[in-house]
Amino acid sequence: MKIQTQIKLIGCLAVTWLLGSVQFSQAGTRTWDFSTDPAADLEIAGSGNVWQQADGNPGGFLALTYPIGGWANTAVFPDIDNGELITSFTLSTDIRSGNSSGDRAADGWAVSLARGSDPFLASRNNGDLAAGLPEAGTTTGIAISFDTWAGNALPDGDDIEGIIVRVDNVTVGRFALPTRHGECDDAT
């Protein structure tokens, strides 16, 4: 999987009633195109050479789950909300999931917006992710899992081939996407 990202966290910096209006301001914005080594900004850990300087869109990319048995990489982005309450956020990214033929070793990944008290953030140990699975994400906050292989037990049921959305380790949505190599307009 290749990942490039722009994260925008929009929080309520000040709520002021002025003639019936509410004022909001942006808590923080960061953009990474990975054309330079992100090690100064991000904490990247895992099984292999995660940062790739070229072949992104544009710039470089992070290779989080190449199809090599046992690869499990993480990229922890810094806290950019300046301590403000987050009321909404936008994540824009170019994510590429590769060929799912063969044994599909790189079977899934997750995007998480975790609370500062999350066990994984304290330990950086994959065992502290939901069900100990990198593709399941964190146990606090919002975790969105993209999985191409069903067969693992999550904290509140089995995973599926598709997208699973969890809030504070409770599944709130399961969206099956069982068709591989289908047409672009095929929602399954």
Side-chain angles (χ1 to χ4, degrees):
M1 178 186 75
K2 295 181 179 183
I3 182 170
Q4 291 177 286
T5 189
Q6 177 177 12
I7 299 174
K8 292 183 180 179
L9 299 176
I10 302 170
C12 179
L13 182 61
V15 177
T16 309
W17 291 96
L18 296 174
L19 301 174
S21 66
V22 179
Q23 297 177 352
F24 293 94
S25 63
Q26 195 160 323
T29 299
R30 290 292 303 269
T31 301
W32 289 270
D33 74 359
F34 303 117
S35 59
T36 59
D37 188 347
D41 284 341
L42 309 179
E43 182 179 330
I44 300 173
S47 307
N49 186 15
V50 177
W51 173 62
Q52 305 295 317
Q53 187 174 10
D55 297 327
N57 181 23
F61 66 93
L62 298 182
L64 296 180
T65 56
Y66 272 146
I68 299 170
W71 263 53
N73 295 302
T74 59
V76 178
F77 291 82
D79 183 354
I80 62 171
D81 67 359
N82 300 317
E84 301 301 326
L85 175 67
I86 302 299
T87 57
S88 66
F89 73 96
T90 301
L91 170 67
S92 300
T93 186
D94 175 11
I95 296 174
R96 301 176 195 178
S97 295
N99 187 354
S100 63
S101 64
D103 62 6
R104 293 179 280 127
D107 70 298
W109 49 277
V111 174
S112 300
L113 182 62
R115 299 184 194 288
S117 61
D118 190 81
F120 176 77
L121 293 178
S123 71
R124 302 305 201 257
N125 181 328
N126 284 344
D128 287 326
L129 292 167
L133 300 168
E135 65 267 28
T138 59
T139 59
T140 67
I142 300 169
I144 304 170
S145 172
F146 300 85
D147 207 346
T148 64
W149 184 77
N152 293 310
L154 296 175
D156 57 357
D158 292 337
D159 68 354
I160 61 170
E161 293 179 10
I163 300 170
I164 299 173
V165 180
R166 293 181 2 275
V167 177
D168 290 333
N169 220 16
V170 175
T171 299
V172 296
R174 293 174 189 264
F175 308 94
L177 301 170
T179 303
R180 290 192 177 86
H181 312 293
E183 298 299 321
C184 288
D185 60 355
D186 181 349
T188 66

